[in-house]
């Protein structure tokens, strides 16, 4: 496809479970971002990849959150021991490069509900 | 530190009326500024961006925004609202020294027929 895709679109899990959220960026985009959007809020930065490496993970709320991008394309956001407060829409965005004028292209998000 | 404030979490306008969505930013260095629109159950879509060129920026769907450094503002306008403009709008700032985007809390636009 031409855009950023995210799977699953919805995920319901129980408190304490482990979840993985997947992001397929636009082909050729080297930069990839994860955001979390809580109800009534704007997207909140979590982590940024340039290629395979996490260039900035300062937005991850705690060590239960982890993300990988092993081949510099698809990325997976992993959440261990989920808590009800993790419920949110998780957005992925990709761009051609990390510079001032870059434009981020967002996926539709994964809506996570932790019961 | 960078931040964005969007005044008015909900704005209602009549179809055909002027749309004005407010955004003020704080940034210690010259910023790059963006407006995104989010339709229900869809990802954010870029409307327009300011990158230190012209202060009046034209975007898609008839929207435009003006960067005013003296007011630290980047308000979004459209002369005549359409029903299809009903959505959530987010202002975002990014500095040229970092890679983080900071988003406002969003403004929900309702267009009344």
């Amino acid at each position: 496809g031409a855009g950023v895709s995210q799977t699953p679109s919805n995920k319901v899990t129980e408190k304490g479970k482990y979840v993985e959220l997947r992001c397929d960026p636009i082909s050729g985009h080297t930069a990839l971002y994860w955001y979390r959007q809580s109800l009534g809020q704007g997207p909140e930065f979590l982590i940024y990849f340039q290629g395979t490496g996490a260039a900035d993970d300062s937005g991850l709320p705690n060590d239960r959150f982890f993300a990988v991008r092993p081949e510099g394309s698809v990325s997976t956001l992993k959440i261990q021991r989920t808590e009800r407060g993790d419920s949110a829409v998780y957005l992925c965005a990709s761009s051609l490069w990390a510079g001032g004028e870059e434009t981020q292209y967002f996926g539709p998000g994964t809506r996570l509900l932790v019961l | 530190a960078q931040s964005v404030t969007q005044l008015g979490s909900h704005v209602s306008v009549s179809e055909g009326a002027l749309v004005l969505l407010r955004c003020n930013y704080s940034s210690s260095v010259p910023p790059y500024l963006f407006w995104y629109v989010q339709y229900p159950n869809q990802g954010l879509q870029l409307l327009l961006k300011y990158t230190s060129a012209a202060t009046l920026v034209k975007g898609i769907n008839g929207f435009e925004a003006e960067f005013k450094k003296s007011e630290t503002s980047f308000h979004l306008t459209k002369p005549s609202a359409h029903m299809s403009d009903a959505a959530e709008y987010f202002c975002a700032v990014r500095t040229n020294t970092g890679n983080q985007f900071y988003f406002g809390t969003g403004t929900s636009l309702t267009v009344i027929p």
Side-chain angles (χ1 to χ4, degrees), chain A residues 11-60:
Chain A
K11 176 69 176 179
V12 181
T13 191
E14 294 179 344
K15 180 175 178 294
K17 298 291 187 181
Y18 168 83
V19 297
E20 289 190 353
L21 312 179
R22 176 187 168 108
C23 172
D24 283 80
I26 294 173
S27 178
H29 279 194
T30 56
L32 186 146
Y33 298 77
W34 283 99
Y35 293 86
R36 178 168 67 177
Q37 186 176 17
S38 301
L39 194 64
Q41 300 295 316
E44 177 188 7
F45 170 82
L46 294 177
I47 187 171
Y48 150 66
F49 287 90
Q50 182 61 256
T52 60
D56 185 347
D57 64 358
S58 62
L60 296 177

Side-chain angles (χ1 to χ4, degrees), chain A residues 3 16 18 29 31 42 52 79 87 90 93 113:
Chain A
Y18 168 83
H29 279 194
T52 60
I79 310 174
S87 297
Y90 289 82
L113 177 61

